[in-house]
Amino acid sequence: MTVYNISKKNFKLTIEYDGTNYSGWQRQKNDTTIQGEIEKAVFIITKQAITLIGSGRTDAGVHAIGQTANFICETRLNSNDFIRALNCLLPNDIVIKNCEEVSLSFHARFNVKNKTYLYRLINRPYPSAIGRNYCWSITKKINIDLMNKAGAYILGSHDFKSFEGSGSPRLSTIRNVLQSEFIQHDEELIEYRIKANGFLRYMVRNIVGSLVYIGLDRISTDEFKNILESKDRKKAPPTAPPQGLYLFNVEY
C-alpha cells in the first residue's frame, strides 16, 4: 500500500449488493445488514469505528446496482487502497464498485439531487426458479400500455401519501418524479424505471403494486389517478415484493 501522512479524509463509495441474505441497509443490533458489514470491514482496515452514511435505506431483500455512501476517518490510505482492501474483506454479495476521496463537507444523503430505482418483472405462465430472488414473477399476462398510461400520471410534483409505507421518516410526502416507464426487454422480462428527487418508504414498491393491478385489469387508470389524489394508502393495492427492486443510480 502507498504510504501517505495520516489526515482526516472523506471517502465516497459506490456499492453493488445482492440484498437476498440481508435485513436491509441499515445497521441493526442482531441482524446482518449491508451498512453493518461495510462498517466492520472498514474497522478491520483502520481500527476506527466509523459511521457509514448511505444515500438512503433499502429494505430486506432489496438490491443495489449503484448505492452510494460515505465515511470519514483519519488515515494515510488512499481510495485505491480502500477499494482493494474492502473487496478482499467483504462477502461476495457486496462489492465496492468505486471509491473516491471527496471534500469533508460531502454527505451521501443530504447532497442527493435525484435517485433512480428499477423494478424487474418476469411475465410468463410459470414462475422463475433461478430469478426468484431478483424479480417478481407474474403468471397472468399484463398490459404494459395501460401501466405506462397510468404511470405517466405520477410525473411531476405530487403528494405521494397514498404510496407511503408506515414509519416513513419524512417532513413532507411531496416528491417530484422525473421518469416513470415500463420497458419490455424480451418476451418475458419487463423493467420499470422511476427517477425522482426523493422517495418515501415503500413508495416504489407501492406504485409498482398498483400499476401491476392495472396491467392485470383489476383497477382502471382512472382509479389509479383517484388513488394518487386521495392521499389514502388504504385505497391502494398491495405492495410489490422486495426482490424485484434495485437502487440503480444516485445523482449529486
Side-chain angles (χ1 to χ4, degrees):
M1 291 184 178
T2 307
V3 177
Y4 296 92
N5 292 329
I6 294 177
S7 61
K8 182 180 285 189
K9 298 178 181 179
N10 191 7
F11 293 97
K12 175 188 172 188
L13 306 178
T14 303
I15 312 158
E16 177 180 301
Y17 52 83
D18 176 346
T20 303
N21 296 318
Y22 296 92
S23 298
W25 166 267
Q26 189 176 19
R27 181 196 322 110
Q28 298 179 39
K29 186 175 181 180
N30 297 314
D31 291 309
T32 305
T33 66
I34 308 296
Q35 181 189 33
E37 291 299 297
I38 298 174
E39 287 179 344
K40 286 192 292 185
V42 174
F43 180 79
I44 292 171
I45 297 166
T46 66
K47 300 299 184 287
Q48 297 173 55
I50 60 96
T51 296
L52 184 68
I53 301 166
S55 70
R57 304 173 185 175
T58 54
D59 296 310
V62 174
H63 316 293
I65 296 170
Q67 169 71 288
T68 56
N70 77 286
F71 66 92
I72 294 174
C73 68
E74 293 188 354
T75 183
R76 61 168 56 93
L77 303 180
N78 63 24
S79 56
N80 289 330
D81 296 329
F82 268 110
I83 195 169
R84 287 195 299 267
L86 286 170
N87 282 331
C88 285
L89 291 168
L90 288 168
N92 59 13
D93 51 7
I94 303 175
V95 173
I96 308 302
K97 297 171 68 174
N98 188 56
C99 177
E100 59 182 303
E101 188 176 348
V102 292
S103 71
L104 290 173
S105 63
F106 175 81
H107 193 285
R109 182 162 64 93
F110 294 151
N111 293 151
V112 171
K113 290 184 178 179
N114 297 302
K115 289 184 187 178
T116 302
Y117 280 89
L118 62 84
Y119 195 99
R120 288 178 176 156
L121 306 163
I122 293 290
N123 190 209
R124 64 186 188 188
Y126 51 92
S128 174
I130 294 174
R132 69 191 183 280
N133 292 324
Y134 308 105
C135 66
W136 181 10
S137 287
I138 299 173
T139 56
K140 293 182 179 180
K141 186 65 177 176
I142 55 178
N143 187 323
I144 296 180
D145 291 337
L146 284 178
M147 292 157 69
N148 271 327
K149 180 181 177 182
Y153 290 148
I154 68 172
L155 291 171
S157 184
H158 299 279
D159 189 329
F160 285 93
K161 191 170 180 61
S162 294
F163 302 108
E164 174 190 34
S166 61
S168 192
R170 82 297 191 264
L171 297 175
S172 170
T173 50
I174 296 174
R175 298 291 185 272
N176 184 36
V177 174
L178 304 169
Q179 180 185 17
S180 172
E181 181 182 16
F182 284 91
I183 302 167
Q184 181 95 43
H185 286 286
D186 55 32
E187 292 183 358
E188 300 176 351
L189 177 62
I190 300 167
E191 185 176 278
Y192 177 63
R193 292 204 179 203
I194 181 169
K195 178 179 178 179
N197 66 342
F199 292 90
L200 304 168
R201 189 179 188 191
Y202 299 157
M203 177 175 156
V204 179
R205 289 167 56 197
N206 287 334
I207 289 171
V208 171
S210 295
L211 293 175
V212 166
Y213 258 50
I214 291 169
L216 293 170
D217 199 26
R218 294 181 181 175
I219 62 172
S220 69
T221 55
D222 286 340
E223 285 176 297
F224 176 81
K225 189 175 182 181
N226 291 336
I227 290 168
L228 173 65
E229 294 171 350
S230 74
K231 305 178 184 64
D232 185 354
R233 175 71 189 104
K234 294 178 182 178
K235 293 184 177 181
T239 306
Q243 70 271 14
L245 184 61
Y246 301 74
L247 175 52
F248 181 70
N249 185 50
V250 183
E251 299 174 20
Y252 294 94

